Amino acid sequence: MARGLMAQDRTDAQSRTGFDTESDPRFYAYYERESLSEATLARFRTIKGKLLALASRQGIATQMLDVADIGCGAGTQSRLWAEDGHRVHGLDVNASLIKLARRRANEAGLAIAFDVGSATALPYEDGSMDVCLLPELLEHVPDWEGCLNEAVRVLRPQGLLLLSTTNFLCPIQQEFNLPLYSWYPAFVKRKFERLAVTSRPELANHAKYPAVHWFSSYQLTAYLSACGIECFDRFDMLDVSKLSMLPRLAVTAACVAPPLRLLAHVLTEGTTIFGIKRLSTGR
């Protein structure tokens, strides 16, 4: 009976999302382990700190926020926000990871609303969230524009956005176990994408939905700006006062000289954008 109920739950989740909500056991085991690593915790704490610092500088309230963690995985980032008293909603297409996220939240005594769902059809009302987190998600969603439109839709005016994804400018990446993959021509990438979901799943770490999009900070900033989001890239968000003299000069130069900023993006794995919703749009 229990096995039948679990199968029905998987069928129901797939009918709601339009996606296969299960995952390879090796993929699940990887995220179960990595989601608790010190590196992961440090990265998510840094993101939270930068978002809240940005809000404070802009005069935006930072207490008791409604937070949407889209592509939440095992819920590590969700728990960090919930521990500070924020109202958190986590969503992921992977039913097994959502089950793990719920268990960990319950064990920590945290009330977090975790759901299986699609980033292109968020189950939240217009203007209902103060923060929308999209960590390492956009590259896996075929309709990436729809994903961003949904994030903008659910944000309130002055809402905060965090987006981290691939960077085609930088040859270093972790999506595919292939050297310099970011720089492969599109038709070659398509070949390896097909192999990753058929005969060679190890190429993309057994991901059910491997990366199919590669972005730059410039491309995503242009799109989000048209949606009414004021954007800040990773270099805008660096606190140069905490750097020694040479790194401080390098960051300052990159921020004021476009060619140097481009070079800095080429040398940096991944794209990270922080944003504030400024305008009402029709998207």
Side-chain angles (χ1 to χ4, degrees):
M1 176 65 73
R3 197 172 289 178
L5 289 174
M6 291 174 63
Q8 184 61 49
D9 287 344
R10 290 195 295 269
T11 301
D12 291 344
Q14 185 166 347
S15 66
R16 288 196 306 272
T17 65
F19 294 94
D20 183 348
T21 60
E22 285 305 292
S23 62
D24 186 287
R26 286 160 291 191
F27 178 86
Y28 174 88
Y30 172 82
Y31 275 94
E32 181 182 31
R33 179 181 68 254
E34 288 301 310
S35 59
L36 295 180
S37 72
E38 283 303 317
T40 297
L41 290 167
R43 179 163 57 90
F44 285 150
R45 288 191 185 110
T46 298
I47 286 171
K48 179 164 67 70
K50 287 181 179 294
L51 272 176
L52 295 177
L54 176 62
S56 295
R57 290 197 299 270
Q58 299 286 326
I60 300 170
T62 59
Q63 301 299 316
M64 292 292 291
L65 302 174
D66 291 302
V67 179
D69 186 6
I70 312 304
C72 65
T76 302
Q77 188 163 219
S78 294
R79 293 197 306 278
L80 292 176
W81 286 83
E83 287 169 357
D84 287 349
H86 301 294
R87 297 177 292 266
V88 183
H89 304 259
L91 182 136
D92 201 284
V93 74
N94 190 307
S96 298
L97 289 178
I98 286 293
K99 183 178 180 181
L100 175 62
R102 287 174 178 155
R103 175 170 62 79
R104 287 177 172 174
N106 288 335
E107 291 171 351
L110 298 172
I112 303 174
F114 285 112
D115 292 294
V116 178
S118 168
T120 58
L122 298 180
Y124 314 128
E125 294 182 0
D126 295 0
S128 59
M129 297 292 167
D130 299 299
V131 180
C132 196
L133 308 169
L134 301 170
E136 286 80 55
L137 169 70
L138 203 63
E139 64 271 23
H140 302 286
V141 182
D143 180 15
W144 67 267
E145 296 98 330
C147 178
L148 291 183
N149 293 346
E150 278 289 272
V152 173
R153 177 185 67 80
V154 303
L155 275 178
R156 296 183 175 114
Q158 302 299 294
L160 304 170
L161 175 74
L162 180 281
L163 168 63
S164 56
T165 185
T166 52
N167 177 14
F168 75 74
L169 296 173
C170 179
I172 302 171
Q173 52 81 44
Q174 299 182 39
E175 297 297 333
F176 279 78
N177 296 315
L178 293 164
L180 307 179
Y181 185 81
S182 307
W183 290 353
Y184 288 18
F187 75 93
V188 177
K189 284 193 175 86
R190 299 292 88 83
K191 174 183 178 180
F192 285 114
E193 288 163 16
R194 289 192 296 271
L195 288 174
V197 296
T198 54
S199 60
R200 298 286 305 281
E202 72 279 2
L203 289 174
N205 301 308
H206 301 275
K208 181 79 67 174
Y209 298 103
V212 294
H213 296 301
W214 297 80
F215 302 96
S216 73
S217 177
Y218 303 100
Q219 172 193 6
L220 292 174
T221 294
Y223 188 88
L224 287 168
S225 295
C227 296
I229 302 291
E230 181 180 1
C231 296
F232 307 85
D233 69 18
R234 68 197 324 145
F235 305 111
D236 295 321
M237 298 297 293
L238 284 174
D239 184 356
V240 296
S241 67
K242 296 181 179 180
L243 301 176
S244 58
M245 181 174 294
L246 286 178
R248 183 186 307 177
L249 290 174
V251 170
T252 301
C255 288
V256 299
L260 292 179
R261 184 179 288 251
L262 173 60
L263 177 61
H265 283 299
V266 171
L267 298 174
T268 306
E269 180 184 352
T271 296
T272 303
I273 293 176
F274 299 81
I276 301 175
K277 185 175 181 178
R278 296 300 195 191
L279 304 174
S280 175
T281 72
R283 288 189 184 275

